[in-house]
Amino acid sequence: APSPPAATPRTSRNNYHLAQAYLDKYYTRKGGHQLGEMAARGASSLVKKIKELQAFFGLRVTGKLDRSTMDVIKRPRCGVPDVAN
Amino acid sequence: YRLFPGEPKWKKNTLTYRISKYTPSMAAADVDKAVEMALQAWGSAVPLTFVRVTSGEADIMISFESGDHGDSYPFDGPRGTLAHAFAPGEGLGGDTHFDNAEKWTMGTNGFNLFTVAAHEFGHALGLAHSTDPSALMYPTYKYQHPYGFHLPKDDVKGIQALYGPRKT
């Protein structure tokens, strides 16, 4: 099988940071997390937010930073969060 | 369409607006025109009238801002976030800020100010982001031709849910 391109690890790391900043900005409810969410911080919280983004934009809900999700994240947009504050 | 929690809306039918800071990337007259047309897009659907003032505090204060501009929502330079607006209310409520780092235009060579302003004024009137890709209130930028523009159905439904239809 062909090996992945050499740039893949760096690209995915960049995507991860880009996505994290995006989700913190547009998919974080201010005023504290719900109790259930407190225990599930970190990676699972990120997955939850990715799923929320994918559902909002009508993408396939995978919880993964696939190409269509990254395409949305890279689009210029309004600064108002998509989830209600 | 979606409304903000608590469904904030203006309790009066005549709203004032003021452009307090302009951008160097467009002629001031073009900014005035884009803003007027963007407000009118909403005013054609609901019984709201927009009156421009040139001094003092208006309901909708409009400005072009750079980076951290004192409202806890700093801009991020070119692309990314283009603008933001606050839901109806006192103080910052209704205020609309555009990122001065963007290249603003009346056409397609940059970000079309009418397109972004019309979207932001939807927030200033009480609409949150829509999940309908054809809606003006969809979160991502999609050029809208300013002349002959009509609000998409989803946005009409949303704004009329708050203010009722304009009587012809």
Side-chain angles (χ1 to χ4, degrees), chain B:
Chain B
Y1 68 87
R2 291 179 171 196
L3 306 176
F4 290 115
E7 302 186 6
K9 58 181 266 192
W10 296 100
K11 305 285 191 276
K12 52 190 178 184
N13 288 80
T14 299
L15 300 174
T16 56
Y17 71 96
R18 178 184 163 201
I19 306 168
S20 60
K21 284 188 213 167
Y22 285 84
T23 173
S25 65
M26 271 177 78
D30 286 341
V31 172
D32 294 346
K33 186 70 184 166
V35 165
E36 184 191 341
M37 290 173 75
L39 286 168
Q40 195 46 45
W42 294 103
S44 65
V46 290
L48 290 176
T49 304
F50 301 99
V51 175
R52 187 180 172 196
V53 297
T54 52
S55 63
E57 192 71 16
D59 297 313
I60 299 172
M61 293 292 287
I62 299 160
S63 58
F64 291 81
E65 307 281 358
S66 303
D68 191 346
H69 52 282
D71 64 3
S72 305
Y73 296 93
F75 283 131
D76 54 2
R79 299 184 67 84
T81 301
L82 306 178
H84 56 227
F86 294 86
E90 296 297 313
L92 268 178
D95 290 2
T96 303
H97 301 155
F98 300 93
D99 188 350
N100 216 359
E102 311 298 345
K103 186 186 178 193
W104 296 104
T105 174
M106 280 294 270
T108 53
N109 186 22
F111 291 109
N112 181 273
L113 182 59
F114 165 81
T115 300
V116 178
H119 173 100
E120 296 306 329
F121 294 147
H123 292 312
L125 297 177
L127 293 182
H129 282 147
S130 172
T131 57
D132 179 347
S134 71
L136 180 62
M137 294 313 295
Y138 198 61
T140 54
Y141 176 81
K142 189 173 81 176
Y143 170 76
Q144 306 286 345
H145 191 59
Y147 297 96
F149 174 82
H150 291 289
L151 272 184
K153 278 182 187 168
D154 181 71
D155 305 291
V156 173
K157 283 184 196 166
I159 202 70
Q160 290 186 345
L162 285 173
Y163 298 100
R166 172 175 276 278
K167 292 180 180 68
T168 51

